[in-house]
Amino acid sequence: SPNGALKALKRARQEGLIDHIGITIHRDIDVMRMAIESGEFETIMLAYNPLDPEGVEREGILKLAKEYGIGVIIMKPLSGGQLVLHETEMGRVGNDPLVRYCLRYILSKDTVDTVIPGMRRMEELEENVLVADMPPLTDKEKEELFRLIGSLGKSFRYGQMCLRCEYCLPCPQGIRIPDVFRAYDMYVGYPDEVKHLALRLYEALEVKPEACIKCGTCMKRCPAGINIPEKLREVAEVLEKAIQQEKSLS
Ligand code: SF4
Ligand code: SF4
């Protein structure tokens, strides 16, 4: 708003109370785009990890921020502590290959400036500094990363089970399987006020999940072991119904 927080922050910067103004945004891709294009912010903080839970890489937000010269800070690099091996959850510190792969995966992106994993102990800080000096991930290490995440057998932030790795593609019917699952996760996991974003994403799919002929090709390649044809059927049912309900209310 004209007299909102941004105005106060700009005055604070003019008075020398602060040096820089950044913004943190969750979920709404259009708002992220607006913030970047406004030219008002020097940094943007986004939730991102190999699962791309909010679609900031897939929707070109990381790239856009880079084009505008805005510093990109990554939060939730381990999906709120979920992207760790069992031993780490049990209290072991350091040398967790999954944690190392996740941080290296993020730092390998030239659209990312820095990453801020949560740390409680000095040993965790030392481990993360060590990882920051490691080289970018190779393709083989990337495959191993998704195999490790799949082996956890968990669902992640917003109920996400699909790892968005795209190893299931191409589908002979042209179904963009990870995009279908992303729309579903958004619809189920996002708060009510932004659920419509999921329906717009679903509507924009060129090939809808009903086109699946259950050939099974995709399932053989999925590191998360998802029964893809079955899940596609469920997604279509839920999202088609939600779209119908939305139309009947408008
Ligand atoms: S099972 Fe369905 S989604 Fe999977 S590859 Fe075959 S047609 Fe595509
Ligand atoms: S369905 Fe499986 S293979 Fe396809 S993107 Fe998701 S996790 Fe990867």
Side-chain angles (χ1 to χ4, degrees), residues 47-206:
Y48 176 66
N49 56 52
L51 303 171
D52 197 8
E54 300 190 1
V56 296
E57 182 173 38
R58 188 175 300 261
E59 301 291 335
I61 296 298
L62 296 178
K63 198 162 164 268
L64 187 68
K66 177 86 178 173
E67 280 165 18
Y68 275 74
I70 295 173
V72 173
I73 303 166
I74 298 302
M75 59 178 165
K76 311 277 179 215
L78 305 175
S79 192
Q82 288 186 299
L83 291 173
V84 300
L85 293 186
H86 181 64
E87 294 84 343
T88 308
E89 271 178 334
M90 292 293 105
R92 188 186 74 177
V93 176
N95 197 18
D96 180 327
L98 179 51
V99 172
R100 288 185 171 191
Y101 281 152
C102 283
L103 296 178
R104 286 174 62 207
Y105 178 93
I106 295 165
L107 288 170
S108 301
K109 307 278 169 184
D110 64 359
T111 46
V112 166
D113 290 294
T114 191
V115 55
I116 51 164
M119 290 168 271
R120 282 173 296 183
R121 289 176 278 197
M122 185 55 80
E123 295 93 316
E124 290 172 342
L125 175 65
E126 285 164 355
E127 164 71 8
N128 290 341
V129 170
L130 187 78
V131 175
D133 285 331
M134 291 180 179
L137 278 195
T138 62
D139 285 348
K140 202 160 174 292
E141 286 173 323
K142 192 177 148 202
E143 267 180 44
E144 177 62 8
L145 161 66
F146 283 106
R147 193 197 62 74
L148 277 176
I149 300 175
S151 74
L152 298 177
K154 286 182 185 171
S155 63
F156 299 95
R157 199 169 161 78
Y158 308 126
Q160 178 176 346
M161 289 180 75
C162 167
L163 315 181
R164 320 271 191 260
C165 61
E166 302 197 350
Y167 293 153
C168 52
L169 301 180
C171 154
Q173 293 292 96
I175 303 169
R176 291 279 316 163
I177 300 164
D179 292 347
V180 176
F181 291 160
R182 180 164 165 251
Y184 179 76
D185 295 339
M186 285 166 71
Y187 183 73
V188 173
Y190 278 17
D192 286 351
E193 62 272 22
V194 280
K195 277 193 194 302
H196 65 277
L197 298 172
L199 302 183
R200 299 299 80 78
L201 179 63
Y202 183 78
E203 281 177 330
L205 293 169
E206 274 180 35

Side-chain angles (χ1 to χ4, degrees), residues 168 170-175 177 209 211-219 221 228-229 232:
C168 52
C171 154
Q173 293 292 96
I175 303 169
I177 300 164
C212 174
I213 51 168
K214 299 187 173 60
C215 68
T217 317
C218 53
M219 283 172 65
R221 307 184 200 130
I228 295 172
L232 288 177

